[in-house]
Amino acid sequence: MINSTQVSYFILGAYFDTGLFKYLCFMIVMSLYVFIICANLLLIVVICMNRSLHEPMYLFLVSLFVNELYGSTGLFPFLLVQILSDIHTVSAPFCFLQIFFVYSYGSIEYLNLAVMSYDRYLSICYPLQYNTRMTYKKVASLIAITWLLVFFVNFCTLPLIVPLQLCGNIINKVYCDNHSVVKLACSDTTVNNIYGLIVSALSVFVPLILILYTYIKIFKVCYSGSKQTRQKAVRTCTPHLASLINFSFGACFEILQSRFNMSSLPIMVRIFLSLYFLTCPPIFNPVMYGLKLSNIRVACKNLVRNVGF
């Protein structure tokens, strides 16, 4: 039996020998990471440099893009090292650090999308009162609460998993996650399971209720409102809904995979879907908002043109 004092590292059991194809995988993953960094940084710089984009909607987008960089940094460098390595191990402290990165990224993403839906609700349903209801002070407070609250909740998770007595050290994934470590425990994990369920429920259902409420109100206003109101709703809500659906799909599968046995699925499918919520939103969101929102698109073109000169 292996206890917590003996587990100094974990073995990632989802990796398998790909021979020379590992170099191709490395180049693909490296290209994706470089694209994520460039795309998200570009939009952050564009929004920060253009005073015309210093509006609540775009400031919330900056928070979203920063989170994409944050989550990607917690995963991609680690993946690149593991792809080229012949021994797929990770030290226990780094594993716990990655758990903090992954879970805080997911919670911030979903909560940020909920705050953005609230912003769209005020903009469409109360256009004349929008500037008084969504002030810069309120924007800063919402962004700060989103990040600090999630950091605090996820930091409280670490004291529950670090002291666990473990009966093994093999995690059947390509990165560390909380539930995989808890399943290795040979001590009582009742507190971990209860805390995990409460945090998961609050992280999912509270933002979901807010999102559903705001969109029900938005659809009611659009149904009874003018053509201009409907066009504004479609223009600003479509990218948000696409981001929400994209992230929710990946996060839903990750939650199901953590809680239920998915061994009937091919290993490549499980790996792809487990990485989906960590890789696709950071790629998808900057492209979606950069193409769909005309103000950002024009600002990007101007920046590229100025740099070119």
Side-chain angles (χ1 to χ4, degrees), residues 42 52 57 75 90 97 143 145-146 179-180 221:
L42 172 65
S52 62
M57 179 175 71
L75 174 70
V90 55
L97 179 62
I143 293 174
I145 291 171
T146 297
H179 197 64
S180 295
V221 169

Side-chain angles (χ1 to χ4, degrees), residues 195-270:
Y195 183 80
L197 287 173
I198 292 173
V199 171
S200 297
L202 292 176
S203 299
V204 173
F205 290 111
V206 172
L208 182 61
I209 290 171
L210 177 60
I211 291 169
L212 290 176
Y213 173 80
T214 55
Y215 270 99
I216 288 172
K217 292 291 186 179
I218 288 172
F219 290 148
K220 283 184 177 180
V221 169
C222 291
Y223 181 76
S224 59
S226 64
K227 182 180 179 181
Q228 184 180 3
T229 301
R230 287 193 292 272
Q231 289 176 340
K232 179 182 179 182
V234 170
R235 184 176 65 255
T236 61
C237 291
T238 299
H240 178 264
L241 281 173
S243 297
L244 178 65
I245 293 170
N246 183 45
F247 177 75
S248 298
F249 169 77
C252 181
F253 180 83
E254 179 56 23
I255 293 172
L256 291 175
Q257 182 174 235
S258 297
R259 299 290 174 178
F260 301 100
N261 183 12
M262 296 284 186
S263 58
S264 58
L265 291 177
I267 186 170
M268 288 301 296
V269 174
R270 296 203 306 271

Side-chain angles (χ1 to χ4, degrees), residues 40-294:
N40 285 280
L41 271 181
L42 172 65
L43 295 191
I44 291 171
V45 170
V46 164
I47 293 173
C48 292
M49 288 181 61
N50 287 267
R51 294 187 63 85
S52 62
L53 298 179
H54 292 181
E55 298 176 9
M57 179 175 71
Y58 300 108
L59 297 178
F60 289 130
L61 281 178
V62 169
S63 176
L64 187 71
F65 297 146
V66 169
N67 190 48
E68 310 299 9
L69 293 174
Y70 169 75
S72 301
T73 301
L75 174 70
F76 277 88
F78 175 80
L79 278 182
L80 292 170
V81 171
Q82 291 295 326
I83 288 171
L84 292 182
S85 177
D86 294 324
I87 302 175
H88 305 291
T89 61
V90 55
S91 66
F94 188 86
C95 187
F96 296 137
L97 179 62
Q98 188 175 52
I99 288 172
F100 179 83
F101 265 84
V102 169
Y103 280 77
S104 55
Y105 157 77
S107 299
I108 290 170
E109 188 85 358
Y110 207 35
L111 197 54
N112 211 118
L113 289 170
V115 171
M116 290 170 67
S117 72
Y118 172 67
D119 173 67
R120 291 300 83 209
Y121 157 72
L122 291 181
S123 175
I124 294 168
C125 299
Y126 301 96
L128 299 180
Q129 305 171 38
Y130 177 72
N131 290 331
T132 56
R133 289 195 176 200
M134 187 58 74
T135 62
Y136 287 110
K137 184 177 179 180
K138 190 172 185 178
V139 171
S141 298
L142 288 171
I143 293 174
I145 291 171
T146 297
W147 284 79
L148 295 177
L149 178 63
V150 170
F151 277 166
F152 174 77
V153 170
N154 282 274
F155 183 79
C156 291
T157 304
L158 297 179
L160 295 177
I161 61 173
V162 173
L164 285 175
Q165 292 185 339
L166 306 180
C167 294
N169 65 342
I170 299 177
I171 298 175
N172 292 313
K173 298 190 71 171
V174 294
Y175 61 89
C176 296
D177 81 297
N178 179 39
H179 197 64
S180 295
V181 174
V182 172
K183 286 194 293 187
L184 294 172
C186 42
S187 56
D188 183 36
T189 59
T190 303
V191 175
N192 297 75
N193 291 328
I194 293 174
Y195 183 80
L197 287 173
I198 292 173
V199 171
S200 297
L202 292 176
S203 299
V204 173
F205 290 111
V206 172
L208 182 61
I209 290 171
L210 177 60
I211 291 169
L212 290 176
Y213 173 80
T214 55
Y215 270 99
I216 288 172
K217 292 291 186 179
I218 288 172
F219 290 148
K220 283 184 177 180
V221 169
C222 291
Y223 181 76
S224 59
S226 64
K227 182 180 179 181
Q228 184 180 3
T229 301
R230 287 193 292 272
Q231 289 176 340
K232 179 182 179 182
V234 170
R235 184 176 65 255
T236 61
C237 291
T238 299
H240 178 264
L241 281 173
S243 297
L244 178 65
I245 293 170
N246 183 45
F247 177 75
S248 298
F249 169 77
C252 181
F253 180 83
E254 179 56 23
I255 293 172
L256 291 175
Q257 182 174 235
S258 297
R259 299 290 174 178
F260 301 100
N261 183 12
M262 296 284 186
S263 58
S264 58
L265 291 177
I267 186 170
M268 288 301 296
V269 174
R270 296 203 306 271
I271 291 173
F272 172 77
L273 291 176
S274 69
L275 291 172
Y276 188 94
F277 86 108
L278 287 164
T279 56
C280 287
I283 296 171
F284 179 82
N285 287 341
V287 173
M288 170 61 69
Y289 286 102
L291 293 176
K292 278 292 183 179
L293 299 182
S294 58

